[in-house]
Amino acid sequence: MKKLALLLFIAAGMVACKGKKDVAETPVVVEEVVENAIVVDETDESEPVQVIYYERTVCFGTCPSFTFTIDSDGSATYEGRNFVDLIGKYSGESSPADIASVMKIAKDVGYDTLQTSYDNPLVMDLPSTITIIGDKKVLNRYNGPALEVLYNHLDKLIADIKWTKIKE
């Protein structure tokens, strides 16, 4: 029995040593794969990312409810839910100048210095305005900053875009 245990111990040690040898050779292969992946990433066009998100939520009354997004490539989406002219899902195009104008207004109002949330869950029947500009998200529902200049500009962008209904 001791001989069997010793034999198993030696076999396990040999396998472990062989495994260590393989591991020592592996980083060269991994580095080559990673280098190739980087080269592919540099030559491949990256996917567009969402740079602007603007949402108004429902209330118990006639509050407009919709979601509006613009991606880095200028593609825009709109989904109207309640008390808006466009109900349903739509796609459209925005210009780089439109994106830049939103970024400038956000900078002017100090958007990046705002808190993430302005809310009071004890207060009922207030709609929220949720914006994400770049990587910064702000929920503005109760006692939040006056961001009307930003919201009005986003509303104007929605009105100016030529929308195409998305078939569901």
Side-chain angles (χ1 to χ4, degrees):
M1 186 61 125
K2 288 183 180 182
K3 287 182 183 181
L4 180 62
L6 181 61
L7 185 59
L8 287 173
F9 180 76
I10 291 171
M14 289 172 60
V15 170
C17 288
K18 175 150 179 39
K20 287 181 182 178
K21 182 179 177 190
D22 290 342
V23 169
E25 295 172 3
T26 302
V28 174
V29 173
V30 170
E31 287 176 29
E32 290 174 5
V33 170
V34 170
E35 286 175 8
N36 289 339
I38 291 171
V39 170
V40 169
D41 287 345
E42 288 175 356
T43 58
D44 191 21
E45 291 185 23
S46 61
E47 291 290 316
V49 295
Q50 179 182 291
V51 292
I52 298 168
Y53 177 91
Y54 174 44
E55 178 180 8
R56 296 230 184 212
T57 65
V58 297
C59 67
F60 294 132
T62 59
C63 303
S65 173
F66 61 86
T67 303
F68 170 60
T69 65
I70 300 176
D71 290 346
S72 57
D73 66 352
S75 61
T77 59
Y78 177 86
E79 182 178 2
R81 294 185 291 268
N82 295 310
F83 305 105
V84 291
D85 293 334
L86 299 173
I87 300 292
K89 295 181 180 181
Y90 294 82
S91 65
E93 291 296 321
S94 180
S95 72
D98 291 337
I99 295 171
S101 67
V102 172
M103 296 302 179
K104 181 178 181 336
I105 291 171
K107 183 179 178 184
D108 292 347
V109 299
Y111 188 84
D112 61 337
T113 65
L114 298 176
Q115 297 175 29
T116 303
S117 180
Y118 297 89
D119 197 7
N120 182 342
L122 299 176
V123 177
M124 301 295 171
D125 191 33
L126 287 180
S128 297
T129 303
I130 303 162
T131 50
I132 303 172
I133 299 175
D135 294 329
K136 176 72 173 189
K137 177 179 180 179
V138 175
L139 180 141
N140 193 358
R141 191 175 90 81
Y142 181 77
N143 278 348
L147 296 175
E148 283 72 24
V149 68
L150 176 63
Y151 301 153
N152 290 339
H153 186 72
L154 290 166
D155 290 336
K156 183 175 179 339
L157 285 180
I158 292 169
D160 290 346
I161 291 174
K162 182 180 178 191
W163 295 107
T164 303
K165 180 114 169 126
I166 298 172
K167 295 180 183 177
E168 296 181 31

